[in-house]
Each structure stands twice: as C-alpha cells, then as structure tokens.
Amino acid sequence: LTDNTPDDCSFGGGTTFPLAKPWIGGDAAADTSICLEQVTLHNAATRLLERNVQHTKGDTDQSANSDGRRLEMAGVNSFNRDHALNDAPHNNVGLRVMPQAGRLIFFHNINDDGMSDATSFHGGEELISIVTDQQSVAERTKNILVFFKEISIKSFSNLDGFTECTADARRWTKQAYYQ
C-alpha cells in the first residue's frame, strides 16, 4: 500500500475489516472476548454468504438494518473510532489498516473447510483530503497491489480435495511468513 498524500492534510484511505481481530506477533489477538456487536456482524456476514453475496454492495436490501449496510456501518464506525470525530458513533470491533509504503495486508477469504470466511469482508476507504495549499486534490492517490493465491482447479477433483488444498495453502502461508 502506498499513499502519496502528506500525513498533515489527509485522513481516510484505510482498509477496514469489520470482523477481524489483529494478529499480534504470533499470539492470538490481545482481546479474545466476543461482544454482542461482533456476533451481530458475524451473523450478518454469514447470512450474506449463505445468499451467495460476496460483497456488501450485492445485498439487494438497501435498508439501514440490512446485512450489507450493517457491515458497511461497522467500517464507518471503525473510522470514527480511529479519528474520535466529535461524538460520532463508533465501536471497538474490527481492524483498520492505513496505507503506508511497504505495508502488507494479508488475509484468507476461504476457511480450512473450503468455504468463504465471513471475517474476510473488508472495505477500502476513499482518501479524504483537506486542501491547505495549492496542491490539487487530483494529485492525492492511494495505490494498491493485489495478489491472489490461486488453487488450481486441476489440483482437486471434489469438495474434499478442494478443502485439503485450501488447508495446505493456509498452513504453507503460516509457516512461510509467521514462524
């Protein structure tokens, strides 16, 4: 991730994972407690996946209490939490990663059982700029490079084989990068 906007004139631009807990140096997340808000959000994400909705914008229900809007608002709440915007609503759930040169966000979107991982729902914030000089807003950008680990369709013949390949890929990643 990179962000060419000076820190003193912008905020936003982060990537928010409303259901994620941070991984801290090989240990489980510092706070392993589960609050009602996390359960509600996880249930919303699970319902979206059960309806084969892989993106919150794909939720046809646009009401404020729909599953997609709940996840989107959780991202907004994380933004509000990190910026302590007046009395804006916020919560203590989710993870928000800000763009910084050399920083990497890594996550799996499939569980070891080969099914979509509800905790992988995420959203990218727009870069919000406060123009304090003559620099054009158009010059302020966020650049990202995305990699996907593909599991070749030829490497399995059924769901059990796919599940095994998925679990192997997750184990390989953990061994290669976290041990």
Side-chain angles (χ1 to χ4, degrees), residues 31-153:
D31 179 10
T32 57
S33 63
I34 296 176
C35 69
L36 180 59
E37 177 73 8
Q38 288 170 306
V39 172
T40 301
L41 290 172
H42 193 275
N43 290 342
T46 300
R47 284 190 299 270
L48 286 173
L49 293 174
E50 287 169 351
R51 295 192 323 257
N52 202 28
V53 176
Q54 302 289 321
H55 193 283
T56 58
K57 298 289 187 207
D59 189 357
T60 55
D61 182 354
Q62 296 295 311
S63 68
N65 289 323
S66 71
D67 295 329
R69 300 308 75 72
R70 283 182 189 271
L71 290 174
E72 289 173 354
M73 285 310 302
V76 171
N77 290 341
S78 294
F79 174 87
N80 291 340
R81 174 195 65 215
D82 288 0
H83 287 284
L85 296 175
N86 301 321
D87 291 325
H90 68 278
N91 57 34
N92 291 318
V93 300
L95 176 67
R96 188 166 172 258
V97 181
M98 294 306 296
Q100 180 180 348
R103 184 172 280 175
L104 171 71
I105 300 174
F106 176 84
F107 64 96
H108 291 277
N109 65 337
I110 297 176
N111 287 324
D112 283 344
D113 65 3
M115 304 306 291
S116 294
D117 183 351
T119 64
S120 69
F121 272 100
H122 62 284
E125 300 169 2
E126 291 185 22
L127 191 61
I128 303 166
S129 297
I130 301 171
V131 180
T132 57
D133 57 16
Q134 298 300 316
Q135 186 175 7
S136 167
V137 173
E139 293 179 76
R140 301 173 202 276
T141 59
K142 175 175 74 170
N143 302 302
I144 61 173
L145 178 62
V146 179
F147 292 100
F148 291 93
K149 168 86 169 106
E150 182 180 15
I151 298 175
S152 170
I153 193 92

Side-chain angles (χ1 to χ4, degrees), residues 7-35:
D7 289 337
D8 62 346
C9 67
S10 71
F11 58 95
T15 300
T16 303
F17 295 82
L19 291 167
K21 289 191 172 195
W23 181 77
I24 302 173
D27 295 327
D31 179 10
T32 57
S33 63
I34 296 176
C35 69

Side-chain angles (χ1 to χ4, degrees), residues 112 151-152 155-156 160-171:
D112 283 344
I151 298 175
S152 170
S155 64
F156 61 91
D160 289 338
F162 177 69
T163 300
E164 185 177 320
C165 289
T166 301
D168 286 345
R170 290 173 63 94
R171 274 191 297 277

